[in-house]
Amino acid sequence: MDFKDTIKQLSERVSKLNESIMTEEATKNAFIMPMITALGYDVFDPFEVVPEMDCDLIKKKGEKIDYAIMKDGEPILLIECKHCKQDLDLHDTQLQKYFVASKSRFCVLTNGIEYRFYSDLDKPNIMDVKPFLCINMLDLSETDIEQLKKFHKSYYNENEVLSTANELKYTTEIKSILNNEFDSPSQDFVRLFAKQSYTTGQITSRVIDMFTPLVKKSITSVINDIISDRLKNAIKNGEEVKTETDKESKPTIENESEILPAGVVYMNKETGIVTTQEEIDAFNIVRSILRENIDVSRIQYTDYKTLFQINISGFYICKLYFGERVKRIMFRREKEWTEIKTIDDIFKYSDKLKESLNKAEEALSNYTNNKN
């Protein structure tokens, strides 16, 4: 199981169990230790994970962090845990003290549902007031998973994470400002637009009052237009496109079931078919592998409820299945699926894909000749 599937499975676990967790220790055992494991660390190896590590700056109070993730004998990530029903806003001061007493550049405050990642981007060795990354396991996005992956044992690079943290810090703040402005435009924000559109006089408080609802209405209209345009494009791309093959004719070489419409995006509310980003990424990987052998514009895809198929002129090259826990690929004229861990594993089967392409082109040629 790859990292994404593991995190999604943990998210489902949190969703099912969070109402049943009664103590902080239960939160650690049910949610937080599995997260540490998902990040590639052995919770029972003291060289990788140190529970109750001393973080007492003055060495008198015996203050300890719940978990410290270690690398080369030094802590790289501190984790302070709270009960899953506790408000994390009440505990960030405690984490600040632990951070100062350690050499770690990153720390996490979590209740097993929400994970708040902090660093010292503003002042060295002083934990920032605001987290640079907040992840809610009950509302998990693909972007959240990618950011979490950077803390995985196999991918961790302090400099890269610091660079990302600095970027996230400001983009998060900007997004928050934009959301507030879109919801309730401030005078300065309204003035920005009024200056450029009101040319009949000075920008007085009366003009600001007049423009405030207009700015808010315009923002809503622009957002709706963007969404509408994207939906129109999706619907347009989702229309069934005829291929060079004639579905009314029965080929002698190929079974009719193998002649399929050209690859398109289906967004059909009745069928519930949705093309995922993972499928698009896999499609692009296959195209990059085959681009030396064929004009990539000929390579298309068709999305079905249970599989994703990559074709040329309606004849499939390979089929892909992306389940919650398993991923598989099947090459042309093979009867068994090949399991892959991630879509990057598709690169390992470059030769097979090229063979499948040749078989698909041969089938198309035979069918065309037979039809003529």
Side-chain angles (χ1 to χ4, degrees), residues 87 149 180 216 260 302 357:
D87 183 354
K149 191 175 182 179
N180 290 334
K216 186 172 182 179
L260 303 167
T302 309
L357 173 62

Side-chain angles (χ1 to χ4, degrees), residues 180-195 197-198 203-220:
N180 290 334
E181 293 288 4
F182 288 177
D183 183 60
S184 181
S186 66
Q187 286 192 6
D188 289 340
F189 191 71
V190 173
R191 191 182 301 276
L192 173 67
F193 296 97
K195 281 184 177 180
S197 55
Y198 186 74
I203 308 300
T204 63
S205 58
R206 182 186 64 81
V207 173
I208 294 295
D209 290 341
M210 179 185 73
F211 265 83
T212 297
L214 297 177
V215 169
K216 186 172 182 179
K217 184 177 180 179
S218 299
I219 290 170
T220 302

Side-chain angles (χ1 to χ4, degrees), residues 173-184:
E173 191 66 25
I174 291 170
K175 285 170 65 177
S176 176
I177 293 170
L178 286 174
N179 281 329
N180 290 334
E181 293 288 4
F182 288 177
D183 183 60
S184 181

Side-chain angles (χ1 to χ4, degrees), residues 15 42 87 92 125 165 167 184 190 205 210 228 261 290 297 362:
S15 179
D42 184 350
D87 183 354
D92 54 356
N125 205 36
E167 181 180 322
S184 181
V190 173
S205 58
M210 179 185 73
S228 178
L290 299 179
S297 65
E362 179 185 352

Side-chain angles (χ1 to χ4, degrees), residues 36-78:
I36 295 173
T37 300
L39 291 174
Y41 297 96
D42 184 350
V43 293
F44 301 109
D45 184 346
F47 292 103
E48 291 190 358
V49 181
V50 177
E52 298 295 319
M53 190 184 81
D54 184 13
C55 279
D56 189 350
L57 186 63
I58 60 176
K59 306 300 180 184
K60 289 184 178 180
K61 296 184 178 180
E63 294 180 327
K64 301 178 186 298
I65 192 78
D66 287 303
Y67 298 104
I69 307 298
M70 310 295 289
K71 182 179 180 181
D72 300 327
E74 296 291 346
I76 59 172
L77 181 64
L78 306 179

